[in-house]
Amino acid sequence: MRWIVTGGAGYIGAHVVALLRARGDAVTVLDDLSTGQAHRVGDAQLVRCDLKERDATRAAFLAARPEAVIHFAAKKQVGESVAEPLLYYHENVGGLVSVLEAMRASECRRIVFSSSAATYGVPPVEVVDEDTPCAPINPYGATKLIGEWLLADAARAYGLSTVALRYFNVAGADEGRKLADPFALNLVPIVLAAHAAGRPVRVFGTDWETRDGTCVRDYIHVVDLAEAHLAAAEKIDGVAKGRVYNVGCGRGFTVLEVIAAAERVIGQPIRREHAPRRAGDPPALVARAERIERELGWRAQRVSIDDIVGSAFRAR
Ligand code: UFG
């Protein structure tokens, strides 16, 4: 099968590219390399392309003639999205419009979209399913929700097959391929980087109503997440138009439990300091991930937090 993977030089995208290449599929990666790294695409074809340049994007699609697209390329920092909302709407919504136009021009009918649990905002329940109301609390989450709407509208109008995957907290790495997250922007890489630098980890909030006072999140191994994309692409023609799926494990760990896992993996104590609650953090956010298992036959396999944190540590 022939694929275009936008953002395939990034953390999650590169894991999907590796799985597709391992089974012999033809993959063209479109990436502007603003945060992606060329070496991460391995032997896939890399086209340096800014999706906001619509003519260049269309030309890349016409050259590659993909049968399916997996669309990762986007901005994903919550804080930055609050400070620079126009950048996020341009990149995340404008980029998707450009991809959908290029799909029409090249008669490509299938797209798997990278969405986020950020679409839920601060939900009233700890365990969220896809029918939990979406109420994003920052521009990043808003652009992902708009992306889902855009896909659903395009699916109905143009007969496309679309799936949006709402990721929970992605962590870990394919150790063999050394595809660790190169940035320390999320808890697991932050803990590993802080320890390596001899700095304490700041724990945002220790007085939440959770089992140890710190926030609970549903950490999912990036290789499991990559496999979810392949499952989605395989079944995409048979699912309802504009379908969305949670992609998580259905269980959560606290910040202190993640730090404890890192201590077991590294074999050394990790210093931490208490910090105030971070604005916009829900106390607990865990996926109900039954729809994706029922409809796409995917279920997370690498659910041990020690395996997730350990893979990130060993892949550095
Ligand atoms: N945390 C700390 N210290 C740190 C960093 C994080 O205590 O230095 C805590 C956070 O407060 C949170 C947990 O660790 O409780 C996880 O934080 P992350 O920043 O790693 O992840 P988030 O849950 O905030 O965000 C993730 C994705 C976002 C997405 C969001 C949606 O990274 O892209 O889920 O729920 F928007």
Side-chain angles (χ1 to χ4, degrees):
M1 184 140 162
R2 287 187 312 280
W3 303 81
I4 278 186
V5 180
T6 73
Y11 167 51
I12 303 169
H15 281 89
V16 169
V17 170
L19 289 187
L20 293 172
R21 289 298 300 138
R23 66 183 203 190
D25 288 12
V27 180
T28 300
V29 170
L30 301 195
D31 200 302
D32 66 2
L33 300 182
S34 57
T35 54
Q37 300 164 316
H39 68 86
R40 294 175 72 88
V41 312
D43 63 358
Q45 190 192 3
L46 173 63
V47 176
R48 190 167 183 171
C49 177
D50 178 344
L51 298 179
K52 294 193 298 306
E53 289 172 15
R54 290 150 76 167
D55 291 345
T57 304
R58 191 182 319 112
F61 272 69
L62 287 169
R65 291 264 164 211
E67 292 157 275
V69 177
I70 306 183
H71 178 51
F72 292 103
K75 294 280 179 195
K76 62 171 187 180
Q77 290 183 50
V78 171
E80 184 184 54
S81 80
V82 175
E84 294 285 352
L86 296 185
L87 173 70
Y88 273 67
Y89 281 84
H90 267 301
E91 296 274 342
N92 294 6
V93 181
L96 178 57
V97 171
S98 180
V99 165
L100 290 166
E101 284 174 347
M103 286 176 64
R104 294 195 73 202
S106 61
E107 295 177 0
C108 174
R109 291 188 47 260
R110 304 184 187 97
I111 178 168
V112 179
F113 174 61
S114 159
S115 188
S116 170
T119 51
Y120 293 113
V122 182
V125 289
E126 172 170 340
V127 180
V128 298
D129 65 23
E130 294 84 350
D131 295 322
T132 302
C134 285
I137 58 162
N138 51 60
Y140 167 70
T143 62
K144 290 295 178 181
L145 186 56
I146 291 168
E148 293 182 1
W149 294 341
L150 193 44
L151 280 192
D153 288 341
R156 282 186 286 267
Y158 310 130
L160 304 183
S161 297
T162 72
V163 160
L165 300 180
R166 291 180 179 158
Y167 311 159
F168 283 66
N169 288 66
V170 189
D174 181 328
E175 297 174 39
R177 297 188 172 95
K178 296 276 176 203
L179 290 177
D181 187 350
F183 302 107
L185 297 171
N186 290 110
L187 181 65
V188 170
I190 284 173
V191 169
L192 298 176
H195 175 73
R199 284 185 269 107
V201 178
R202 295 167 66 214
V203 178
F204 296 140
T206 52
D207 57 351
W208 296 99
E209 282 188 20
T210 59
R211 51 185 174 266
D212 63 16
T214 66
C215 289
V216 173
R217 293 289 182 276
D218 187 337
Y219 294 90
I220 171 171
H221 196 299
V222 65
V223 175
D224 275 332
L225 177 63
E227 289 173 351
H229 289 78
L230 271 52
E234 198 172 300
K235 299 267 172 60
I236 198 165
D237 289 336
V239 304
K241 298 249 175 261
R243 201 71 167 147
V244 302
Y245 296 94
N246 284 345
V247 194
C249 299
R251 52 87 187 104
F253 294 101
T254 67
V255 174
L256 294 181
E257 288 165 351
V258 170
I259 295 173
E263 291 181 322
R264 287 190 293 276
V265 163
I266 299 172
Q268 290 174 13
I270 292 176
R271 288 163 50 220
R272 78 284 310 265
E273 64 187 23
H274 294 184
R277 292 180 176 188
R278 191 174 66 174
D281 264 345
L285 190 61
V286 172
R288 191 176 302 289
E290 287 158 14
R291 178 186 285 181
I292 190 169
E293 181 168 2
R294 197 172 56 244
E295 297 185 10
L296 304 182
W298 173 91
R299 183 193 181 125
Q301 304 297 318
R302 301 160 183 86
V303 299
S304 141
I305 191 66
D306 287 33
D307 289 349
I308 293 172
V309 176
S311 71
F313 178 64
R314 291 184 292 271
R316 288 162 314 142

